[in-house]
Amino acid sequence: MKDFTVRPEIEDFAPYVPGMTIEQIQELYGLNSVIKLASNENPLGTSPIVQKVICQNAARAFRYPENHTPRLAATIARSEGVPEECVLVGNGSDEIIDMLFRMKGIPGKSNVIFYENAFAMYRMCAKLAGLEYREVKRDAEYALPLAAMAEAADENTCMVIVTSPDNPTGLAATVDDLATLSGVLPADCLLVVDEAYIDFAWPPESYTPVQAFDQFENIVALRTFSKAYGLAGLRVGYGILPHKLAALVKNARIPFTVNLLAEEAAIAALEDEVFYNETLSLVMRGREYFTDELTKLGCKVWPSQSNFVMFQPPKDPAEIFEELLKKGIIIRPLKSFGLPQCMRVNVGTDTENATFIKTLGEVLNG
Ligand SMILES: *Cc1c(COP(=O)(O)O)cnc(C)c1O
């Protein structure tokens, strides 16, 4: 067989490794039921109202969607109080991240700053776009190193990325912290705030800069329907970008990346306040329960503003992961985030949470 070459930076790519699906685990371990608390998905599933809307629109699947998803963009703009022109809807917020890297950075010249133990997409996109990336160190508690990020920026820095609330630590930056960072960045540098978990930060007004979007000239906020809205499988997210930047990115993007059913579902999800509020109360209750119970089991637990908690167990996480899997529970070991001593578990239903805690107790003390 003939070997074809690709761009040199692609040759040594480490692939993104997602967690196993429930079906894969069932087959591998011969299990009837599996509790999945590994991917920060919505414990309530997909809203019944949204499911109905997807079915009602199924027959329209032969049509192209409207380019740039304008009805959803308008709905988001109304609910967030930002100009419609600033909203860019994507195939998951991952697509917006990818577009920003490719369109803002100049290959071989620009650099991007994020911190260590961050979401793998940033490093992946930087490599793919041919941009230098700088991973700023964190302290022993993994606090978000915003001041050090400002120091690491120079005139070639095109983006500084903060995940808030952070994945996997659950820590969040306050609006004041973000305002300070935004104010000291070089002139042409964006402060990208990945707000995939912002719905779970409490109280929201202390954390999201979107409420004062017109006061920040250089901020891009990234949001998703994958977590609080329970639509991870439909792939829909969005960015709120400075006016002119949003227009330039729209001109250059690939058309029709957000499908017609995803647009209908996301509009319905935004309007379904009952499901959203139930999700929030379940998550807030669950993360408090996890924090208390994991502490009782001798784990160190980080305070979470998200729908998961990070903890350091008193035993090797790789072993715990295997033992839990055999008993039909999957959580996330954090070796791939550069945190081999830690694990992440997302909030499930109350019953799933209790089963996880009981089973972990058996694994640790058995
Ligand atoms: C889940 C997640 C996203 C959202 O990804 P989608 O592409 O919208 O599903 C973005 N950033 C972080 C840090 C995440 O954990």
Side-chain angles (χ1 to χ4, degrees), residues 22-55:
I22 289 186
E23 293 74 20
Q24 288 166 335
I25 300 163
Q26 280 175 327
E27 186 165 332
L28 197 61
Y29 293 91
L31 297 162
N32 291 323
S33 69
V34 170
I35 295 176
K36 187 182 180 206
L37 305 175
S39 300
N40 306 338
E41 292 152 345
N42 194 311
L44 296 176
T46 311
S47 145
I49 293 178
V50 173
Q51 290 188 38
K52 211 184 219 173
V53 167
I54 295 170
C55 294

Side-chain angles (χ1 to χ4, degrees), residues 140-142 169-171 291 300-304 309-312 342:
E141 294 297 314
Y142 307 109
T169 64
L171 304 173
T291 304
K300 176 178 165 64
V301 187
W302 274 259
S304 173
V309 299
M310 180 170 92
F311 63 100
Q312 183 173 343
C342 291

